[in-house]
Structure formats: structure tokens, C-alpha cells
Amino acid sequence: MTPVNYRRLYQPSVISEIIGGILLGPTALGRWKAFSTNVFPKESLVNLNLVANFGLVLFLFMIGLELDPRMLKKNISRGVAISIAGIALPFGLGAAVSYALYSILMDSVGKFVNFLLFCGVAMAITAFPVLARILTERNLLKTTVGSISMSAAAVDDVVSWCLLALVIALTNNSSGLTALYVFLAGLAWVLFVILVVRPVYLGYLRRSGVLSGRDPTQTVLFVTFMMVLVSAFYTDAIGIHAIFGGFLIGVIIPHDGGFAVKVVEKIEDVVHIFFLPIYFTLSGLKTDFTDLKEGETWGLWVLVTF
């Protein structure tokens, strides 16, 4: 089904892209060896994943661009409160179902505490790109609800990634200080971008005249997108997803003289038409429902899903 048909069902286009990926993957067409070998060979998935994540970084950069920093500051307390609730409840539910999953899937092998923490964190992580896509399509991103939702989801995911680093460290019998390192390194980068990079960047933009209404030159755009890529590389290197680096740079981009709007206009079509469908379709390609062969497995799937 096309995205147009899904809009008639009041569903975002991301749903059709994920279902399309599932149909193209091992659940349906991918079971046909000639199709999977020639259309989506295993070697190509690495390159597709790279392209998809690059597009996702640009998309979250655009989301940061379109958010109003003044509204984010105004609603930060509510966003943090919602984020804490959004972590605590799913984490508790994930921990609750972990016992059944541990005894059935893991055959009681390994430390149960580590498995419990992993299930809790997995449930607590927000589908940040999906939320951003839905809010964008529904024109809710610039509203108070959209601003609070995005700020809460950002805090939620950063904390969850730090917790995931802790779980991995405990599983590998490493020090729990790994999670503290991830958190402090991420916090240091946020402060560095806001207190150092932003003033220098604003001064550069003023000298170039783009904040007075002049169209951004290729040099200005090059500097801007290099900042996005460097920030994404750093956050990915410390253990937080690269999309948060792109999102952070988008938040500090000034709106004076329509600069932010002009930057969005340069990339929005290629991101929405080319990159995002690849990312969400790739998510479907990685899903294989044929692995759910027994009634017990389907029951666990329903338990985890609902």
C-alpha cells in the first residue's frame, strides 16, 4: 500500500514504509532466494544502513532547526517530568516481563539482573525518529505539544542510551563507570556546543550577512553541515546515537533573517523523498516474522508488544 492510502486511514507514511520493508524482507519476498540475492544481497545492507543513518542524521538536524529554542526553554521542566515518567513506566513493564523471557528464551543462562536491566532499557528507549516523523507530518512540531514531546523524547533517549551502556558494561564484566563516562561526555559536548561553538558560529554568520536576509553561500552551508557531521560522529563515538549530534546542531541554528528556513529548503526534499524511506524500509527488511514458529513464541511477542 502506498503512503497516500495510509493517509486515508489516518496513519503516517512511516507505517507504509515499514510494512513495505517487511514485505520485501525475509517474511515475504525475501524468502524467494533469487529476489533476496539479486535485489537485497547481504553485502548491500551495510551500505544501505550507512546511507539510511546519514539521512536520519540530516532529518533530526532539520527537526532541531524547526524547533523554537524559546519554546524549548519555556517547557523544559514539563519535558523532563514527562521524560522521567516515560522512562519509569516502560522500564517497570519491561522488568516485569523479563522473568518470563529469561526462563523461556535464555534457559536461565547468564545473570538475570543484567537481562532484567536490558529488557527495561529496551522498553524505555523512544522511537525518536518515528515520533519526529509523525509530528512533522501532522504539523504538530512547532506547537507546544510537539515541543514538549520532542524535548521529553530527547532526554528519554539520552538517559536510556546511558543505561544501555551500563547494561553492556555489566554484561561484559566491565566497570559500571562506563555509563557515567557516556553521560558526562555527552553533557560536556552539549555545553561545548552551546557555550563555545554557538557564539563562534553566530559571529561567522553575522560577518557573512546571512542573518540580515542574504542567501547562504556554499561556504556557509559547508561549515554548517560539517558541524552536523562532526557532532554526529562525536555522539556516536561516545555511545549515544549519531542522530542526537545532528539534532543538537539543529537546535543552535539561528532563525534570524530566515536562515534556518533557507537551510531546511536546501535539503528537505531529498531527505523526505530519498533518505527517510530507505531508513524505515530497512527497519522492515531486518524483521523476520517467520522466526515466530510456535504458539509460545507468538504469546511472548504479544506480551512484549502490548
Side-chain angles (χ1 to χ4, degrees):
M1 296 181 70
T2 65
V4 175
N5 292 331
Y6 268 81
R7 290 192 189 102
R8 291 176 181 174
L9 298 174
Y10 300 99
Q11 296 295 318
S13 56
V14 62
I15 300 300
S16 66
E17 291 163 3
I18 292 176
I19 291 178
I22 292 174
L23 294 177
L24 292 172
T27 301
L29 291 174
R31 295 175 65 82
W32 180 23
K33 188 175 181 180
F35 179 86
S36 61
T37 302
N38 294 290
V39 180
F40 293 110
K42 292 183 178 180
E43 297 79 10
S44 70
L45 295 181
V46 177
N47 296 325
L48 278 176
N49 191 60
L50 178 63
V51 171
N53 280 286
F54 175 74
L56 196 62
V57 168
L58 292 180
F59 175 62
L60 268 298
F61 166 66
M62 287 172 48
I63 296 300
L65 274 172
E66 295 183 11
L67 290 176
D68 187 348
R70 292 169 296 181
M71 189 175 292
L72 286 175
K73 292 178 182 178
K74 180 180 178 182
N75 298 308
I76 187 65
S77 58
R78 283 185 284 182
V80 171
I82 293 172
S83 176
I84 293 173
I87 294 174
L89 181 59
F91 187 92
L93 294 173
V97 302
S98 63
Y99 180 77
L101 297 175
Y102 179 75
S103 58
I104 296 175
L105 299 180
M106 302 294 292
D107 293 326
S108 300
V109 175
K111 294 183 179 180
F112 174 66
V113 174
N114 294 346
F115 187 77
L116 181 148
L117 290 173
F118 175 77
C119 289
V121 172
M123 291 291 187
I125 293 179
T126 307
F128 195 56
V130 177
L131 175 64
R133 184 84 180 275
I134 293 172
L135 291 175
T136 302
E137 289 188 7
R138 300 301 179 190
N139 296 318
L140 294 173
L141 192 61
K142 297 181 180 180
T143 64
T144 302
V145 172
S147 177
I148 294 175
S149 299
M150 289 303 297
S151 59
V155 173
D156 187 333
D157 269 22
V158 169
V159 172
S160 296
W161 281 105
C162 292
L163 291 174
L164 184 61
L166 173 62
V167 174
I168 293 173
L170 293 176
T171 303
N172 295 329
N173 296 319
S174 302
S175 172
L177 292 176
T178 303
L180 180 61
Y181 157 75
V182 172
F183 174 76
L184 292 178
L187 180 61
W189 181 249
V190 171
L191 294 175
F192 176 75
V193 169
I194 294 175
L195 300 178
V196 179
V197 175
R198 186 174 184 272
V200 174
Y201 181 63
L202 288 177
Y204 169 70
L205 294 181
R206 290 192 187 98
R207 291 192 299 272
S208 65
V210 295
L211 299 185
S212 302
R214 182 183 299 176
D215 289 337
T217 62
Q218 291 184 354
T219 304
V220 170
L221 292 174
F222 171 78
V223 171
T224 302
F225 289 117
M226 279 302 297
M227 288 168 52
V228 174
L229 295 178
V230 169
S231 183
F233 172 80
Y234 178 85
T235 55
D236 184 64
I238 64 174
I240 302 175
H241 201 288
I243 60 176
F244 294 104
F247 178 74
L248 177 61
I249 297 300
V251 171
I252 69 167
I253 299 297
H255 291 243
D256 308 51
F259 176 65
V261 175
K262 292 174 183 176
V263 173
V264 170
E265 289 174 348
K266 297 288 185 180
I267 62 173
E268 64 177 341
D269 287 339
V270 68
V271 170
H272 284 288
I273 295 173
F274 179 72
F275 285 114
L276 284 184
I278 291 178
Y279 175 79
F280 291 110
T281 301
L282 193 60
S283 300
L285 278 172
K286 296 176 182 178
T287 304
D288 187 0
F289 279 100
T290 60
D291 287 337
L292 305 177
K293 298 177 181 179
E294 302 175 357
E296 184 180 59
T297 310
W298 278 101
L300 292 175
W301 176 76
V302 172
L303 177 66
V304 172
T305 304
F306 299 100

